[in-house]
Amino acid sequence: DGGITQSPKYLFRKEGQNVTLSCEQNLNHDAMYWYRQDPGQGLRLIYYSQIVNDFQKGDIAEGYSVSREKKESFPLTVTSAQKNPTAFYLCASYRSSLTEAFFGQGTRLTVV
Amino acid sequence: DQQVKQNSPSLSVQEGRISILNCDYTNSMFDYFLWYKKYPAEGPTFLISISSIKDKNEDGRFTVFLNKSAKHLSLHIVPSQPGDSAVYFCAAMINFGNEKLTFGTGTRL
């Protein structure tokens, strides 16, 4: 079945450590996104990529990094520079021409 | 700068009645709008969309209305059901542009 997969669902890390969240899609979508959701807040865009080997900063990119070496994969690294990394992270992919974006199930990252 | 706004953080509606969720946007370049439904600890699921060339789109109990001059869209759910309880996000993008999908802050129904 086609879809978008985020792993792991829950992730715990010590403060000061980098951590990478996985996002894989087999929908043949060109565009992929990373969002962050905090309690009581909407979805804020971290990074997005419209094509392999290219990506753009979203509204809250500081402290995060991404790569897009393959069309299917868009991993997000939460670095130690991110001041408040504990959040629910959502990955999405999108095909051009008036279609909807599909979301993964999310990864809840807790930094202790 | 919040380009997509949902000014009502929550809304309560009786079963069987109409639910109306509102969304305003500031960027006149947006030309494609989507509504998503989200349950806690899950990814959002797509509900309905509308292109700026239309002013209404229906899908079963869900209807989205777009008023371009007012930069306003609304989602109507008729009749409302207990399973509709969730957080609803509107989103906007410039289609065939940078394809950056911008979300509102959500309304809990």
Side-chain angles (χ1 to χ4, degrees):
Chain A
D1 281 5
I4 181 165
T5 303
Q6 288 184 244
S7 61
K9 192 167 176 65
Y10 299 97
L11 190 56
F12 294 87
R13 277 296 181 269
K14 289 184 179 179
E15 193 172 344
Q17 289 183 332
N18 291 358
V19 60
T20 297
L21 282 62
S22 169
C23 179
E24 304 278 333
Q25 55 99 358
N26 60 5
L27 299 164
N28 200 32
H29 287 175
D30 290 311
M32 296 187 75
Y33 307 82
W34 273 105
Y35 291 91
R36 168 182 172 142
Q37 186 187 21
D38 295 283
Q41 295 198 32
L43 305 180
R44 294 186 289 168
L45 183 63
I46 304 172
Y47 268 97
Y48 65 109
S49 167
Q50 295 172 271
I51 197 169
V52 174
N53 292 323
D54 188 42
F55 47 83
Q56 289 79 40
K57 293 182 178 180
D59 302 316
I60 55 166
E62 186 176 351
Y64 299 97
S65 66
V66 293
S67 63
R68 187 85 188 276
E69 296 176 2
K70 298 185 300 182
K71 189 175 187 178
E72 302 80 17
S73 178
F74 192 40
L76 173 74
T77 297
V78 184
T79 75
S80 56
Q82 168 49 233
K83 291 181 172 53
N84 188 16
T86 294
F88 187 56
Y89 290 87
L90 285 159
C91 178
S93 70
Y94 173 77
R95 180 175 63 86
S96 295
S97 343
L98 302 179
T99 62
E100 69 272 21
F102 290 87
F103 280 83
Q105 288 299 295
T107 294
R108 180 164 298 283
L109 173 65
T110 303
V111 175
V112 295
Chain B
D1 178 30
Q2 190 74 28
Q3 295 189 61
V4 180
K5 300 177 185 179
Q6 295 175 256
N7 292 319
S8 298
S10 64
L11 178 68
S12 292
V13 172
Q14 285 185 330
E15 182 178 356
R17 306 294 290 267
I18 182 171
S19 296
I20 300 176
L21 295 91
N22 294 304
C23 180
D24 297 291
Y25 61 96
T26 57
N27 189 344
S28 58
M29 297 293 291
F30 287 144
D31 58 4
Y32 190 57
F33 305 89
L34 309 93
W35 283 94
Y36 281 83
K37 177 180 180 179
K38 186 182 181 301
Y39 294 113
E42 292 185 12
T45 54
F46 171 74
L47 273 179
I48 192 168
S49 63
I50 188 167
S51 165
S52 60
I53 62 173
K54 295 185 175 182
D55 54 19
K56 178 182 174 182
N57 189 26
E58 285 183 82
D59 185 1
R61 296 187 297 116
F62 302 94
T63 303
V64 56
F65 295 93
L66 176 62
N67 182 335
K68 289 188 291 293
S69 60
K71 295 193 181 68
H72 176 84
L73 62 155
S74 60
L75 174 69
H76 292 212
I77 306 173
V78 184
S80 299
Q81 298 174 354
D84 295 330
S85 297
V87 177
Y88 290 79
F89 291 97
C90 69
M93 72 190 308
I94 304 168
N95 206 36
F96 302 112
N98 61 12
E99 296 181 342
K100 176 182 167 185
L101 195 58
T102 301
F103 281 82
T105 51
T107 296
R108 180 176 300 279
L109 177 63

